[in-house]
Structures are given as structure tokens and as C-alpha cells.
Amino acid sequence: MNPSFIFLQLLIPLIFFISRKVLREKKSFYILFFFCLILTVIGFAKLNQTIRNKPNFNLFLFSPLYSLLLYRLLLIPFWKRKKRDPKIPQRELFYTGDLSLLADKIFIFTFLMLSLLLPFYLITKDFW
């Protein structure tokens, strides 16, 4: 597998920004979940077939399932606390003092950092 498949890591965050309805509804969530499971199974098969080199780009096949499960786990406390889905706030360059969407901004920041940077760091940490 070559580094061009890094886009798989962006699958769930892109769906989050484009259509969160897909992540929320049961039928579409299960379809996406099974797709992520298939990618994970392919990732396990590729890990056993390839030699161990750094960075191992085959690990990016695990990222969609990780991001999907992370989204659901972060969403449970948000639902319990706010009783709604997180909103994507306006793209503001600086803090405006509006505290009504602070929890949404924290949710989005946490989700993006954990779903994008953490897997990339773990895959490439021994490379540098």
C-alpha cells in the first residue's frame, strides 16, 4: 500500500462536516460501520502479508473504524449534557465571547485532534 491511501483517515471527519445525518441515522451508520469493518479486516490481512517497515501505511486502513467509534463515544456525553447533536459554529477567526456554542467547538476540536493527529502520529512516530 502506498501513501496515497492516507485519505482513508479523512473519511469520517469529512462525513462529519458534509453530512452528520449519515453518522446519526441507524441504517446509514450501519452501512458505514460495515464498510469500516471491511477496511479493518483488509488492514489485518495486509499487516500479515507485508514486511515491517516504517512508516507502515497499512495502518491507515484502521483509521475509519477508529474515527467512527471515537465519534460515537464522544457523542454520548454530548447528547446526555446538551440533548442535541453538535452544531458546526460559524468560522470565526477570533473568539467572539459567545458561550452558547463553546461545547460544540470543544467537541469538534477534540474529535478532529483525536481522529486525525493521533493516528497519524502513531503510524509515523518511529519514522522520524
PDB file of all heavy atoms in Angstrom, residues 48-68:
ATOM      1  N   ASN A  48      -0.246  -8.765   7.919  1.00  0.00           N
ATOM      2  CA  ASN A  48       0.387 -10.078   7.956  1.00  0.00           C
ATOM      3  C   ASN A  48       1.160 -10.386   6.684  1.00  0.00           C
ATOM      4  O   ASN A  48       2.058 -11.215   6.696  1.00  0.00           O
ATOM      5  CB  ASN A  48      -0.668 -11.165   8.201  1.00  0.00           C
ATOM      6  CG  ASN A  48      -1.254 -11.055   9.585  1.00  0.00           C
ATOM      7  OD1 ASN A  48      -0.601 -10.592  10.510  1.00  0.00           O
ATOM      8  ND2 ASN A  48      -2.486 -11.473   9.738  1.00  0.00           N
ATOM      9  N   GLN A  49       0.806  -9.738   5.564  1.00  0.00           N
ATOM     10  CA  GLN A  49       1.449 -10.031   4.291  1.00  0.00           C
ATOM     11  C   GLN A  49       2.693  -9.186   4.033  1.00  0.00           C
ATOM     12  O   GLN A  49       3.584  -9.609   3.312  1.00  0.00           O
ATOM     13  CB  GLN A  49       0.474  -9.783   3.134  1.00  0.00           C
ATOM     14  CG  GLN A  49      -0.666 -10.748   3.095  1.00  0.00           C
ATOM     15  CD  GLN A  49      -1.677 -10.365   2.029  1.00  0.00           C
ATOM     16  OE1 GLN A  49      -1.537  -9.341   1.378  1.00  0.00           O
ATOM     17  NE2 GLN A  49      -2.699 -11.182   1.871  1.00  0.00           N
ATOM     18  N   THR A  50       2.739  -7.986   4.577  1.00  0.00           N
ATOM     19  CA  THR A  50       3.831  -7.073   4.254  1.00  0.00           C
ATOM     20  C   THR A  50       4.960  -7.180   5.265  1.00  0.00           C
ATOM     21  O   THR A  50       4.778  -7.636   6.398  1.00  0.00           O
ATOM     22  CB  THR A  50       3.340  -5.616   4.220  1.00  0.00           C
ATOM     23  OG1 THR A  50       2.811  -5.282   5.503  1.00  0.00           O
ATOM     24  CG2 THR A  50       2.291  -5.432   3.165  1.00  0.00           C
ATOM     25  N   ILE A  51       6.107  -6.733   4.844  1.00  0.00           N
ATOM     26  CA  ILE A  51       7.239  -6.675   5.765  1.00  0.00           C
ATOM     27  C   ILE A  51       7.062  -5.465   6.671  1.00  0.00           C
ATOM     28  O   ILE A  51       6.369  -4.507   6.347  1.00  0.00           O
ATOM     29  CB  ILE A  51       8.569  -6.588   4.990  1.00  0.00           C
ATOM     30  CG1 ILE A  51       8.575  -5.356   4.079  1.00  0.00           C
ATOM     31  CG2 ILE A  51       8.820  -7.844   4.213  1.00  0.00           C
ATOM     32  CD1 ILE A  51       9.915  -5.080   3.444  1.00  0.00           C
ATOM     33  N   ARG A  52       7.678  -5.520   7.801  1.00  0.00           N
ATOM     34  CA  ARG A  52       7.567  -4.432   8.774  1.00  0.00           C
ATOM     35  C   ARG A  52       8.519  -3.303   8.385  1.00  0.00           C
ATOM     36  O   ARG A  52       9.730  -3.430   8.523  1.00  0.00           O
ATOM     37  CB  ARG A  52       7.896  -4.919  10.173  1.00  0.00           C
ATOM     38  CG  ARG A  52       7.069  -6.084  10.618  1.00  0.00           C
ATOM     39  CD  ARG A  52       5.723  -5.610  11.118  1.00  0.00           C
ATOM     40  NE  ARG A  52       5.015  -6.742  11.683  1.00  0.00           N
ATOM     41  CZ  ARG A  52       3.794  -7.058  11.357  1.00  0.00           C
ATOM     42  NH1 ARG A  52       3.143  -6.345  10.492  1.00  0.00           N
ATOM     43  NH2 ARG A  52       3.204  -8.080  11.901  1.00  0.00           N
ATOM     44  N   ASN A  53       7.974  -2.238   7.888  1.00  0.00           N
ATOM     45  CA  ASN A  53       8.790  -1.077   7.571  1.00  0.00           C
ATOM     46  C   ASN A  53       8.156   0.150   8.203  1.00  0.00           C
ATOM     47  O   ASN A  53       7.009   0.131   8.599  1.00  0.00           O
ATOM     48  CB  ASN A  53       8.964  -0.898   6.063  1.00  0.00           C
ATOM     49  CG  ASN A  53       7.635  -0.801   5.344  1.00  0.00           C
ATOM     50  OD1 ASN A  53       6.589  -0.921   5.949  1.00  0.00           O
ATOM     51  ND2 ASN A  53       7.686  -0.598   4.054  1.00  0.00           N
ATOM     52  N   LYS A  54       8.898   1.193   8.316  1.00  0.00           N
ATOM     53  CA  LYS A  54       8.413   2.415   8.951  1.00  0.00           C
ATOM     54  C   LYS A  54       8.359   3.522   7.928  1.00  0.00           C
ATOM     55  O   LYS A  54       9.321   3.702   7.197  1.00  0.00           O
ATOM     56  CB  LYS A  54       9.329   2.824  10.110  1.00  0.00           C
ATOM     57  CG  LYS A  54       9.445   1.805  11.187  1.00  0.00           C
ATOM     58  CD  LYS A  54       8.171   1.648  11.924  1.00  0.00           C
ATOM     59  CE  LYS A  54       8.361   0.589  13.018  1.00  0.00           C
ATOM     60  NZ  LYS A  54       7.188   0.243  13.692  1.00  0.00           N
ATOM     61  N   PRO A  55       7.341   4.297   7.843  1.00  0.00           N
ATOM     62  CA  PRO A  55       6.038   4.126   8.475  1.00  0.00           C
ATOM     63  C   PRO A  55       5.230   3.052   7.756  1.00  0.00           C
ATOM     64  O   PRO A  55       5.378   2.849   6.558  1.00  0.00           O
ATOM     65  CB  PRO A  55       5.387   5.489   8.326  1.00  0.00           C
ATOM     66  CG  PRO A  55       5.968   6.055   7.093  1.00  0.00           C
ATOM     67  CD  PRO A  55       7.387   5.519   7.036  1.00  0.00           C
ATOM     68  N   ASN A  56       4.377   2.413   8.484  1.00  0.00           N
ATOM     69  CA  ASN A  56       3.541   1.361   7.934  1.00  0.00           C
ATOM     70  C   ASN A  56       2.202   1.985   7.520  1.00  0.00           C
ATOM     71  O   ASN A  56       1.318   2.172   8.352  1.00  0.00           O
ATOM     72  CB  ASN A  56       3.333   0.248   8.953  1.00  0.00           C
ATOM     73  CG  ASN A  56       2.697  -0.959   8.344  1.00  0.00           C
ATOM     74  OD1 ASN A  56       2.244  -0.935   7.197  1.00  0.00           O
ATOM     75  ND2 ASN A  56       2.647  -2.028   9.107  1.00  0.00           N
ATOM     76  N   PHE A  57       2.053   2.301   6.248  1.00  0.00           N
ATOM     77  CA  PHE A  57       0.852   2.977   5.769  1.00  0.00           C
ATOM     78  C   PHE A  57      -0.368   2.070   5.752  1.00  0.00           C
ATOM     79  O   PHE A  57      -1.479   2.543   5.598  1.00  0.00           O
ATOM     80  CB  PHE A  57       1.098   3.567   4.380  1.00  0.00           C
ATOM     81  CG  PHE A  57       2.062   4.715   4.400  1.00  0.00           C
ATOM     82  CD1 PHE A  57       3.333   4.571   3.889  1.00  0.00           C
ATOM     83  CD2 PHE A  57       1.698   5.921   4.956  1.00  0.00           C
ATOM     84  CE1 PHE A  57       4.226   5.624   3.918  1.00  0.00           C
ATOM     85  CE2 PHE A  57       2.574   6.982   4.993  1.00  0.00           C
ATOM     86  CZ  PHE A  57       3.845   6.840   4.473  1.00  0.00           C
ATOM     87  N   ASN A  58      -0.175   0.780   5.931  1.00  0.00           N
ATOM     88  CA  ASN A  58      -1.319  -0.124   6.021  1.00  0.00           C
ATOM     89  C   ASN A  58      -2.164   0.158   7.260  1.00  0.00           C
ATOM     90  O   ASN A  58      -3.333  -0.187   7.310  1.00  0.00           O
ATOM     91  CB  ASN A  58      -0.863  -1.584   6.037  1.00  0.00           C
ATOM     92  CG  ASN A  58      -0.292  -2.002   4.711  1.00  0.00           C
ATOM     93  OD1 ASN A  58      -0.773  -1.580   3.665  1.00  0.00           O
ATOM     94  ND2 ASN A  58       0.742  -2.807   4.740  1.00  0.00           N
ATOM     95  N   LEU A  59      -1.567   0.781   8.253  1.00  0.00           N
ATOM     96  CA  LEU A  59      -2.312   1.117   9.464  1.00  0.00           C
ATOM     97  C   LEU A  59      -3.390   2.168   9.220  1.00  0.00           C
ATOM     98  O   LEU A  59      -4.300   2.321  10.022  1.00  0.00           O
ATOM     99  CB  LEU A  59      -1.347   1.589  10.554  1.00  0.00           C
ATOM    100  CG  LEU A  59      -0.395   0.522  11.082  1.00  0.00           C
ATOM    101  CD1 LEU A  59       0.598   1.138  12.043  1.00  0.00           C
ATOM    102  CD2 LEU A  59      -1.140  -0.604  11.737  1.00  0.00           C
ATOM    103  N   PHE A  60      -3.311   2.888   8.106  1.00  0.00           N
ATOM    104  CA  PHE A  60      -4.352   3.859   7.786  1.00  0.00           C
ATOM    105  C   PHE A  60      -5.682   3.181   7.487  1.00  0.00           C
ATOM    106  O   PHE A  60      -6.725   3.825   7.506  1.00  0.00           O
ATOM    107  CB  PHE A  60      -3.953   4.743   6.612  1.00  0.00           C
ATOM    108  CG  PHE A  60      -3.055   5.875   7.009  1.00  0.00           C
ATOM    109  CD1 PHE A  60      -1.759   5.943   6.544  1.00  0.00           C
ATOM    110  CD2 PHE A  60      -3.496   6.868   7.858  1.00  0.00           C
ATOM    111  CE1 PHE A  60      -0.933   6.970   6.919  1.00  0.00           C
ATOM    112  CE2 PHE A  60      -2.675   7.905   8.236  1.00  0.00           C
ATOM    113  CZ  PHE A  60      -1.377   7.957   7.770  1.00  0.00           C
ATOM    114  N   LEU A  61      -5.662   1.893   7.213  1.00  0.00           N
ATOM    115  CA  LEU A  61      -6.913   1.165   6.998  1.00  0.00           C
ATOM    116  C   LEU A  61      -7.720   1.018   8.285  1.00  0.00           C
ATOM    117  O   LEU A  61      -8.917   0.765   8.255  1.00  0.00           O
ATOM    118  CB  LEU A  61      -6.625  -0.216   6.399  1.00  0.00           C
ATOM    119  CG  LEU A  61      -6.108  -0.193   4.962  1.00  0.00           C
ATOM    120  CD1 LEU A  61      -5.596  -1.566   4.566  1.00  0.00           C
ATOM    121  CD2 LEU A  61      -7.189   0.268   4.021  1.00  0.00           C
ATOM    122  N   PHE A  62      -7.080   1.189   9.428  1.00  0.00           N
ATOM    123  CA  PHE A  62      -7.769   1.117  10.709  1.00  0.00           C
ATOM    124  C   PHE A  62      -8.387   2.455  11.117  1.00  0.00           C
ATOM    125  O   PHE A  62      -9.243   2.508  11.989  1.00  0.00           O
ATOM    126  CB  PHE A  62      -6.803   0.663  11.813  1.00  0.00           C
ATOM    127  CG  PHE A  62      -6.262  -0.709  11.596  1.00  0.00           C
ATOM    128  CD1 PHE A  62      -5.026  -0.891  11.017  1.00  0.00           C
ATOM    129  CD2 PHE A  62      -6.991  -1.823  11.972  1.00  0.00           C
ATOM    130  CE1 PHE A  62      -4.515  -2.158  10.812  1.00  0.00           C
ATOM    131  CE2 PHE A  62      -6.495  -3.090  11.778  1.00  0.00           C
ATOM    132  CZ  PHE A  62      -5.255  -3.265  11.197  1.00  0.00           C
ATOM    133  N   SER A  63      -7.950   3.529  10.505  1.00  0.00           N
ATOM    134  CA  SER A  63      -8.382   4.872  10.897  1.00  0.00           C
ATOM    135  C   SER A  63      -9.883   5.136  10.758  1.00  0.00           C
ATOM    136  O   SER A  63     -10.462   5.784  11.629  1.00  0.00           O
ATOM    137  CB  SER A  63      -7.606   5.935  10.115  1.00  0.00           C
ATOM    138  OG  SER A  63      -6.271   5.926  10.521  1.00  0.00           O
ATOM    139  N   PRO A  64     -10.559   4.686   9.689  1.00  0.00           N
ATOM    140  CA  PRO A  64     -12.001   4.965   9.614  1.00  0.00           C
ATOM    141  C   PRO A  64     -12.802   4.351  10.759  1.00  0.00           C
ATOM    142  O   PRO A  64     -13.672   5.006  11.338  1.00  0.00           O
ATOM    143  CB  PRO A  64     -12.425   4.372   8.270  1.00  0.00           C
ATOM    144  CG  PRO A  64     -11.200   4.365   7.454  1.00  0.00           C
ATOM    145  CD  PRO A  64     -10.080   4.114   8.426  1.00  0.00           C
ATOM    146  N   LEU A  65     -12.483   3.112  11.127  1.00  0.00           N
ATOM    147  CA  LEU A  65     -13.203   2.483  12.238  1.00  0.00           C
ATOM    148  C   LEU A  65     -12.892   3.202  13.549  1.00  0.00           C
ATOM    149  O   LEU A  65     -13.787   3.455  14.352  1.00  0.00           O
ATOM    150  CB  LEU A  65     -12.848   1.002  12.334  1.00  0.00           C
ATOM    151  CG  LEU A  65     -13.586   0.229  13.419  1.00  0.00           C
ATOM    152  CD1 LEU A  65     -15.087   0.205  13.129  1.00  0.00           C
ATOM    153  CD2 LEU A  65     -13.049  -1.182  13.536  1.00  0.00           C
ATOM    154  N   TYR A  66     -11.635   3.552  13.745  1.00  0.00           N
ATOM    155  CA  TYR A  66     -11.247   4.300  14.938  1.00  0.00           C
ATOM    156  C   TYR A  66     -11.995   5.633  15.020  1.00  0.00           C
ATOM    157  O   TYR A  66     -12.544   5.986  16.059  1.00  0.00           O
ATOM    158  CB  TYR A  66      -9.729   4.515  14.935  1.00  0.00           C
ATOM    159  CG  TYR A  66      -9.261   5.544  15.921  1.00  0.00           C
ATOM    160  CD1 TYR A  66      -9.249   5.279  17.278  1.00  0.00           C
ATOM    161  CD2 TYR A  66      -8.855   6.806  15.497  1.00  0.00           C
ATOM    162  CE1 TYR A  66      -8.830   6.232  18.182  1.00  0.00           C
ATOM    163  CE2 TYR A  66      -8.431   7.759  16.387  1.00  0.00           C
ATOM    164  CZ  TYR A  66      -8.425   7.467  17.733  1.00  0.00           C
ATOM    165  OH  TYR A  66      -8.020   8.411  18.631  1.00  0.00           O
ATOM    166  N   SER A  67     -12.045   6.374  13.914  1.00  0.00           N
ATOM    167  CA  SER A  67     -12.712   7.675  13.909  1.00  0.00           C
ATOM    168  C   SER A  67     -14.212   7.537  14.129  1.00  0.00           C
ATOM    169  O   SER A  67     -14.830   8.347  14.830  1.00  0.00           O
ATOM    170  CB  SER A  67     -12.472   8.404  12.590  1.00  0.00           C
ATOM    171  OG  SER A  67     -11.127   8.738  12.455  1.00  0.00           O
ATOM    172  N   LEU A  68     -14.810   6.515  13.543  1.00  0.00           N
ATOM    173  CA  LEU A  68     -16.250   6.304  13.696  1.00  0.00           C
ATOM    174  C   LEU A  68     -16.604   5.965  15.143  1.00  0.00           C
ATOM    175  O   LEU A  68     -17.549   6.527  15.702  1.00  0.00           O
ATOM    176  CB  LEU A  68     -16.713   5.196  12.756  1.00  0.00           C
ATOM    177  CG  LEU A  68     -18.204   4.946  12.672  1.00  0.00           C
ATOM    178  CD1 LEU A  68     -18.910   6.167  12.092  1.00  0.00           C
ATOM    179  CD2 LEU A  68     -18.490   3.723  11.823  1.00  0.00           C
TER     180      LEU A  68
END
